[in-house]
Amino acid sequence: MSLDWLKPRRYRHFDLPVNEAFAQKAMDPAIVSRHAFSPLIHYTKTETRYKKCPKSGTRTITQKERPIKYAAHRDACIFSYYAHQINQALDTRYKVMGISDNVIAYRALGRGNYNFAAEAMDYAQAEAPVVILAFDITSFFDTLDHGLLKQRLKSLLGVHELSDDWYKVFRSVTRFHYVDLKELKAHPVFGQRLKDKSRDRIASMEELKAEGIAFHANPEMAKGHRRGIPQGTPISAAISNLYMMEFDAAAKACCDKVGAFYRRYSDDILVICKPNDALAIEAEILRLIATEKLQIAPHKTEKTLFDKGRSLPRTSKAAQYLGFTFDESGPAIRESSLARQWRKMRRAMRRARKSVQWRIAAGLPGKAHTKKLYRRFAYLKVYDGDTLRTLRNFSSYGRRSADAFGQGEKINRQVKRFEQVALREIKKLKASSCS
């Protein structure tokens, strides 16, 4: 059997990276049903977001925290195989239900987010005037109901009860335990192991227990709720799509009745409809989400009038979708997404300057190593054997995005300005290191 679902993972955990021999075992139901899953490792990913008020032009800065939990290598291997089975079954079910084009997250569709965003914009332009409705599900992964999830899994597999191996995987994802990465880093022994450049495991289960490292339970179950799965494991994405399967079918049916456009990317729901249908569709989406025991944050629901300058006044703000904004003047990379790239570039330049200064102070040659900076922030083509290929970085991503939209003048200007500044900073860095 093909092992195309197997991906190498090099991070440190409570066991060692696995090989194909273990992957063969991960496909054996008898072995999986007896497997002892390890606790996940948890950390919080913080993302700085900048939001500009369309009326005043003032910016507000917010911090979005995303709890990430990643699995031990053997567990991740098992999760990957079972996620592969779910994804294959879902692709078949989507075709039967007629929603294969509507669910676009976590699937091997051979298209990028810019393709999906361009598709939405093309529809809005062709059907204008329209209202673009963007919904965001509150605490998506944390609030998936275990009872509904189990029903959907049994339905997908075509069984009345889960087999021992499937139940073991289901239980490990819903009744998970985790260790806090901060606690490991603060420990005198485990913290030092994490700093070491090694592929050895961080600790054994016996060591963790002996040192009193806390094994935390699923926070939602600790509150008395039978809900929540970890975000960050190889099976989390597949499970989220499985959970939303019935909603996707119902939402598409609702939109099809009035000729509206429906897409879902993870917890982001997009509907493009005629202005007269907007209120009814919004009410139905909220009702359908409630039946899934989920909630949509009303303050995060965005409604944008898109008229392409015809009979209605221009919109006061641009619609946002998958990292892009678009209005009657054309598409652009979303300001917060662009700002994130600028911060990365400036941070890299500061580090490079400090490295040069440190080397000079230490009496070492102060030459700046700029090759990596060029590869990260410039538009470059390199030979891979006899084939000339473009390096995949933000610059090439921006150009692919502009091509996908077909009217990417604003995107090209954003990217070229970014490249000009990056190249100027690299040039200054090289000059200072040679002086």
Side-chain angles (χ1 to χ4, degrees):
M1 183 181 291
S2 172
L3 298 179
D4 54 355
W5 51 268
L6 180 63
K7 295 181 180 179
R9 292 178 169 84
R10 303 300 179 192
Y11 53 72
R12 305 280 298 283
H13 215 288
F14 303 135
D15 62 354
L16 300 175
V18 301
N19 52 24
E20 290 191 7
F22 181 82
Q24 296 289 344
K25 296 179 181 179
M27 297 188 292
D28 186 336
I31 291 177
V32 173
S33 63
R34 298 192 303 269
H35 179 74
F37 285 85
S38 300
L40 308 167
I41 294 181
H42 161 84
Y43 70 95
T44 301
K45 185 177 182 180
T46 303
E47 181 180 341
T48 302
R49 294 193 168 185
Y50 298 81
K51 192 169 184 178
K52 185 177 181 180
C53 177
K55 293 183 179 180
S56 65
T58 58
R59 294 185 182 183
T60 57
I61 302 175
T62 59
Q63 299 284 338
K64 181 171 181 179
E65 294 187 343
R66 193 184 302 276
I68 303 296
K69 297 175 177 65
Y70 56 103
H73 294 285
R74 294 190 171 208
D75 301 347
C77 183
I78 292 172
F79 286 150
S80 295
Y81 175 61
Y82 281 77
H84 174 68
Q85 294 185 75
I86 291 175
N87 287 330
Q88 284 190 317
L90 275 177
D91 282 342
T92 301
R93 182 68 64 90
Y94 286 157
K95 291 177 182 177
V96 173
M97 299 172 77
I99 57 175
S100 187
D101 293 334
N102 304 95
V103 183
I104 56 178
Y106 313 129
R107 300 178 62 203
L109 299 175
R111 301 167 71 194
N113 64 326
Y114 42 80
N115 297 119
F116 300 123
E119 181 184 34
M121 181 174 174
D122 288 345
Y123 181 91
Q125 287 182 319
E127 299 297 323
V130 293
V131 169
I132 301 174
L133 298 169
F135 305 91
D136 183 87
I137 302 174
T138 304
S139 303
F140 183 47
F141 287 90
D142 295 336
T143 54
L144 300 185
D145 182 78
H146 295 170
L148 284 178
L149 176 59
K150 192 174 183 180
Q151 290 177 20
R152 304 276 156 81
L153 181 57
K154 289 191 289 187
S155 171
L156 185 71
L157 298 176
V159 299
H160 293 293
E161 294 296 336
L162 296 178
S163 60
D164 290 345
D165 59 318
W166 273 106
Y167 181 72
K168 191 66 174 285
V169 172
F170 173 81
R171 186 179 175 86
S172 69
V173 174
T174 54
R175 294 178 175 269
F176 63 89
H177 287 77
Y178 66 91
V179 169
D180 199 304
L181 182 59
K182 286 184 178 179
E183 192 172 351
L184 291 175
K185 288 182 175 179
H187 191 275
V189 176
F190 306 145
Q192 184 57 50
R193 289 180 186 174
L194 282 166
K195 292 178 182 178
D196 293 340
K197 293 182 179 180
S198 169
R199 291 187 179 179
D200 291 340
R201 61 183 179 176
I202 300 169
S204 65
M205 291 299 102
E206 292 76 16
E207 287 179 307
L208 293 173
K209 292 175 182 177
E211 293 297 319
I213 299 296
F215 287 21
H216 305 279
N218 176 349
E220 292 299 314
M221 295 197 70
K223 299 174 188 175
H225 305 300
R226 294 185 67 247
R227 66 184 187 184
I229 65 168
Q231 183 174 358
T233 77
I235 202 171
S236 301
I239 285 179
S240 70
N241 274 348
L242 167 65
Y243 189 92
M244 297 296 287
M245 178 174 60
E246 301 297 334
F247 170 84
D248 290 322
K252 180 180 184 295
C254 166
C255 291
D256 284 350
K257 288 179 182 178
V258 294
F261 179 96
Y262 167 71
R263 295 291 186 272
R264 181 180 63 82
Y265 191 99
S266 187
D267 57 350
D268 292 326
I269 299 166
L270 181 77
V271 174
I272 306 176
C273 62
K274 290 296 182 180
N276 291 340
D277 298 319
L279 286 177
I281 288 181
E282 181 182 2
E284 181 63 6
I285 292 293
L286 293 176
R287 187 190 70 80
L288 291 172
I289 279 291
T291 65
E292 301 297 326
K293 300 184 180 182
L294 299 171
Q295 290 184 334
I296 285 176
H299 66 282
K300 288 188 176 181
T301 300
E302 295 189 354
K303 307 171 191 178
T304 307
L305 177 64
F306 187 99
D307 63 16
K308 207 171 63 172
R310 293 183 183 176
S311 58
L312 298 173
R314 289 175 58 86
T315 59
S316 60
K317 63 177 182 178
Q320 298 189 46
Y321 187 51
L322 301 182
F324 297 91
T325 62
F326 49 88
D327 56 20
E328 298 87 343
S329 65
I333 298 173
R334 193 170 66 183
E335 188 173 336
S336 59
S337 302
L338 192 63
R340 190 180 309 120
Q341 297 300 324
W342 279 88
R343 290 197 300 274
K344 288 181 180 179
M345 184 263 288
R346 286 172 174 142
R347 190 183 306 124
M349 297 300 173
R350 284 198 302 270
R351 288 175 178 171
R353 281 194 294 270
K354 287 181 179 179
S355 176
V356 170
Q357 292 167 0
W358 178 86
R359 291 176 64 84
I360 292 175
L364 300 172
K367 182 179 179 181
H369 299 285
T370 57
K371 184 177 180 180
K372 186 176 180 180
L373 295 175
Y374 277 115
R375 295 177 70 89
R376 286 187 65 186
F377 304 115
Y379 182 67
L380 295 176
K381 292 187 177 182
V382 296
Y383 277 100
D384 185 3
D386 295 329
T387 305
L388 186 65
R389 66 178 181 86
T390 303
L391 284 179
R392 298 183 73 86
N393 57 19
F394 175 69
S395 292
S396 61
Y397 168 81
R399 282 171 166 76
R400 292 196 304 274
S401 301
D403 290 342
F405 280 99
Q407 45 181 311
E409 295 83 2
K410 289 167 68 175
I411 295 176
N412 280 327
R413 286 198 300 269
Q414 290 174 311
V415 173
K416 287 179 180 178
R417 180 171 176 268
F418 175 85
E419 292 170 354
Q420 288 169 357
V421 174
L423 291 173
R424 186 168 65 241
E425 290 298 315
I426 293 174
K427 186 176 180 180
K428 286 166 59 179
L429 183 64
K430 292 176 70 174
S432 64
S433 66
C434 295
S435 58

